[in-house]
Amino acid sequence: MFFIINYLLYIKICYSFNYIVISFYILKLSLTKWNKKREETEIKLSNLANNDSLTGIYNRRKIEELCEAELKRSERYSNELSVIFFDVNDFKIINDKLGHHKGDEVLIKIASVISQNIRTTDYFGRWGGDEFLIVLPQTNLYKTEHLVKILENILTTINFDLKMNRKISCS
């Protein structure tokens, strides 16, 4: 039995198969590229939705959400939880006399200083204006020396001078 090979048909089939394979490969590459852009966009949108645009720390919506979650966790597992709420002393005077640019510098500096002086398990956010909130899971204001150390550290590091002949402090 002899087989007659139709080379023209063979070439057409190979060409079609290669065309399909190459098309799928190009489609895969474009989907991968699109997926990467989508993920980058999601990260940017998440940052915009959750972070304060001036200071880069959590915004009020996100810190409220985290506070609620930690409160529920604290109640569920009978863990201790502390919350520190503070604002900048005489912030209105800084804005009125020195300008909003200096006021922004103060807020950015405070956010930076506090962020560097809390635990990685703590949450820090801007409540609004010159008000800030720190959520400290598994700490108790009256029992934990660590919280006292955190408070002392915050109070001492927050006293700084931004070359405006005025000490910045919080309460």
Side-chain angles (χ1 to χ4, degrees):
M1 191 184 305
F2 291 101
F3 291 104
I4 301 175
I5 298 176
N6 185 344
Y7 288 105
L8 185 61
L9 179 64
Y10 178 76
I11 290 171
K12 286 180 181 178
I13 291 172
C14 286
Y15 177 76
S16 298
F17 180 75
N18 284 337
Y19 180 78
I20 291 170
V21 169
I22 289 170
S23 296
F24 276 116
Y25 182 73
I26 290 171
L27 180 65
K28 179 191 174 290
L29 286 177
S30 66
L31 285 175
T32 302
K33 185 178 178 181
W34 181 83
N35 227 6
K36 186 177 178 182
K37 283 184 181 179
R38 184 188 54 79
E39 288 172 1
E40 290 170 355
T41 303
E42 284 178 2
I43 291 169
K44 287 178 185 176
L45 288 174
S46 176
N47 283 336
L48 286 172
N50 296 319
N51 293 356
D52 178 58
S53 60
L54 177 67
T55 60
I57 59 176
Y58 290 129
N59 61 18
R60 182 177 184 149
R61 187 193 67 73
K62 183 64 177 179
I63 198 71
E64 227 174 55
E65 178 185 306
L66 293 167
C67 199
E68 280 288 323
E70 285 302 325
L71 186 59
K72 286 178 184 175
R73 185 192 334 248
S74 174
E75 290 171 353
R76 181 175 183 184
Y77 297 110
S78 298
N79 291 337
E80 296 173 333
L81 174 70
S82 296
V83 176
I84 300 171
F85 183 86
F86 67 94
D87 68 349
V88 180
N89 295 330
D90 302 321
F91 188 70
K92 184 173 178 3
I93 295 170
I94 294 169
N95 268 344
D96 290 347
K97 290 190 176 183
L98 303 172
H100 290 277
H101 177 67
K102 278 293 182 189
D104 289 350
E105 279 184 46
V106 169
L107 297 176
I108 292 167
K109 177 73 174 177
I110 287 171
S112 173
V113 167
I114 299 295
S115 295
Q116 294 170 7
N117 288 287
I118 58 174
R119 303 174 302 180
T120 56
T121 56
D122 299 335
Y123 303 107
F124 177 46
R126 186 171 170 203
W127 191 254
D130 66 328
E131 300 169 331
F132 296 90
L133 188 78
I134 306 172
V135 180
L136 303 116
Q138 299 184 351
T139 55
N140 181 298
L141 181 61
Y142 303 106
K143 296 180 184 176
T144 304
E145 291 177 15
H146 189 277
L147 183 62
V148 174
K149 184 180 176 185
I150 290 171
L151 286 170
E152 287 173 350
N153 201 5
I154 287 170
L155 290 175
T156 56
T157 56
I158 213 69
N159 287 315
F160 57 86
D161 186 0
L162 281 176
K163 298 177 185 159
M164 55 186 171
N165 299 326
R166 178 182 301 269
K167 279 283 191 192
I168 305 301
S169 63
C170 296
S171 53

